[in-house]
Amino acid sequence: MSKVGVMVMGPAGVGKSTFCNSMMAYMESQGRSANLVNLDPAATAHEYEFTIDIRDLISLDDVEDELKLGPNGGLIYCFEFLLKNLDWLDDQIGDYPDDYLIFDCPGQIELYSHIPAMPIVVKHIQQQLNFNLCCTYLIEAPFMVDRAKFFSGALEAMSTMIFMELPHLNILSKMDLVKGKMSKREVRKFLCPDPMLMNDDEVQDDQKDLILTNPKYRRLNKAIAQLVDDFGMVQFLPLDCSDRDKSESLRTIVTCIDNMTQWDENQEPKDPAEDMEEPEDPEDQ
C-alpha cells in the first residue's frame, strides 16, 4: 500500500484549514481513507477531528504563558521542540502506515523561507517513515486584483518550492470571492503568470496612480514579474471550496496530488479472477 502525505502550506488566513476539510470530505465521497494531521501549535477547531495533533506534544498557548514569548517566537520554539522529539511524531504516524495523511501546517512564512525546521521535519517523514510527500502552497485569489501583491505571492511560492525540495503544487484559493468580478479569460492570465500583466494597459485604474507616480516601484514590479516568468516554475490551479460536492477544481487538485505522490501506482492491483466465478471441474459434472 502507498504511504502518502500532503503538506498544506501558505500564509495565515489563506484558507489552508478550509482546504484540508474539503480534502477530507472529498476523500470520504470517493471511499478513500485519509487522516488529518495538525502541525500548527496554534490551531483552532476543525470541521474534521485531528488524528494526530502537535498540541498533544506542545501548544503555542502554553509556550506563550510559560516562556513569555510572542506568537512568532513561540511558534519557532514549538518547532525546535518538535525537532528534539521526532520520536513522538514517529510513534503517532506509525499507527497509520497505509493511509493518506493531510498535514495542516502553520501560517508563519519564516518556516517556509529560511528557518530550516519544516524542511527537517519533511525529510524525516520521507526518509525515516518512507512517505511520498508533496507540497501544496496556497495564495488568495483576491490577490489577482492587486497585481503587484499577486507577483509577490508568486515569488514566495517559488521560494517555498526551492526551500522545501518537494513535488509542488501552487493553488489560488478562495476563487468564489472573485466570481463575477473577473472573467474566465482574465483568470487564465494568472494561472500561468505573464509579466505583461504589469504593463500599464493591464493594470486597473485604481492602481495606475500609485504605479505611475513612482517609476522605481513600476520597474521593480515588472522586474519581479519577469523573474517569475524567466524561471517558468510558478503556475496555479484554482480552488473553489464553496460547493464541495460539485467542485471540479478540488477534483483536479486531488488528481494532480495523486500523480505527484504516485498514489495510483502504489495501490495494490485488484485480481481480475476475484470477480470471476471459478469454472466447474468437468469431473464434477
Side-chain angles (χ1 to χ4, degrees):
M1 294 289 287
S2 59
K3 300 170 70 173
V4 167
V6 183
M7 313 297 295
V8 180
M9 301 179 177
V14 76
K16 296 187 297 295
S17 296
T18 299
F19 176 54
C20 288
N21 287 327
S22 298
M23 283 274 291
M24 291 291 293
Y26 179 83
M27 294 297 177
E28 283 188 355
S29 70
Q30 300 298 307
R32 291 171 57 175
S33 176
N35 288 282
L36 189 56
V37 180
N38 177 40
L39 290 182
D40 184 0
T44 55
H46 259 245
E47 177 182 344
Y48 286 84
E49 292 186 5
F50 295 122
T51 303
I52 302 169
D53 191 346
I54 191 176
R55 293 174 301 174
D56 294 336
L57 175 69
I58 189 170
S59 73
L60 183 60
D61 289 340
D62 292 341
V63 169
E64 289 180 341
D65 290 342
E66 295 179 14
L67 301 180
K68 308 303 178 184
L69 294 174
N72 290 339
L75 191 57
I76 293 173
Y77 178 89
C78 289
F79 265 81
E80 290 176 345
F81 188 82
L82 174 62
L83 294 181
K84 296 177 181 178
N85 294 274
L86 286 174
D87 55 335
W88 173 86
L89 189 62
D90 294 348
D91 292 340
Q92 295 293 310
I93 294 180
D95 293 335
Y96 306 94
D98 299 324
D99 277 334
Y100 196 109
L101 301 184
I102 302 172
F103 294 85
D104 190 3
C105 300
Q108 190 173 10
I109 294 299
E110 292 94 321
L111 295 172
Y112 315 133
S113 58
H114 60 276
I115 295 175
M118 187 64 77
I120 293 174
V121 171
V122 164
K123 284 184 172 58
H124 181 83
I125 296 173
Q126 285 180 304
Q127 297 174 2
Q128 302 301 319
L129 302 179
N130 298 317
F131 269 77
N132 291 333
L133 297 180
C134 75
C135 172
T136 58
Y137 190 89
L138 281 65
I139 72 170
E140 296 183 46
F143 277 18
M144 292 186 293
V145 178
D146 185 339
R147 302 187 180 195
K149 185 181 293 186
F150 171 82
F151 277 102
S152 176
L155 270 183
E156 186 60 48
M158 185 166 65
S159 173
T160 300
M161 184 189 311
I162 296 171
F163 193 58
M164 299 305 299
E165 297 182 339
L166 283 177
H168 192 98
L169 184 65
N170 296 311
I171 297 173
L172 277 175
S173 64
K174 304 182 181 181
M175 287 298 298
D176 53 300
L177 298 183
V178 297
K179 279 185 177 179
K181 299 179 181 179
M182 301 182 69
S183 67
K184 291 183 178 180
R185 181 179 179 181
E186 289 178 310
V187 170
R188 281 196 294 269
K189 295 178 181 178
F190 291 89
L191 300 183
C192 186
D194 184 346
M196 296 299 290
L197 286 169
M198 294 308 302
N199 281 355
D200 296 341
D201 57 348
E202 290 285 352
V203 178
Q204 296 185 6
D205 292 337
D206 60 351
Q207 299 175 45
K208 283 184 178 180
D209 291 340
L210 175 62
I211 294 177
L212 295 179
T213 55
N214 191 333
K216 291 184 178 179
Y217 181 83
R218 176 184 177 185
R219 291 196 300 271
L220 176 61
N221 284 336
K222 288 189 175 182
I224 290 174
Q226 189 63 55
L227 178 65
V228 172
D229 182 66
D230 288 344
F231 276 86
M233 297 169 63
V234 182
Q235 297 182 6
F236 292 90
L237 288 178
L239 173 65
D240 181 358
C241 294
S242 58
D243 189 353
R244 295 175 183 171
D245 295 335
K246 299 179 181 179
S247 179
E248 289 294 333
S249 63
L250 186 60
R251 183 178 296 106
T252 299
I253 288 170
V254 172
T255 300
C256 288
I257 291 172
D258 288 346
N259 290 336
M260 288 191 298
T261 58
Q262 299 179 329
W263 181 84
D264 289 321
E265 296 179 15
N266 291 324
Q267 295 306 295
E268 293 182 355
K270 186 176 180 180
D271 186 357
E274 293 180 359
D275 296 329
M276 300 175 59
E277 294 184 1
E278 294 185 4
E280 295 184 1
D281 190 334
E283 296 182 0
D284 295 336
Q285 294 181 355

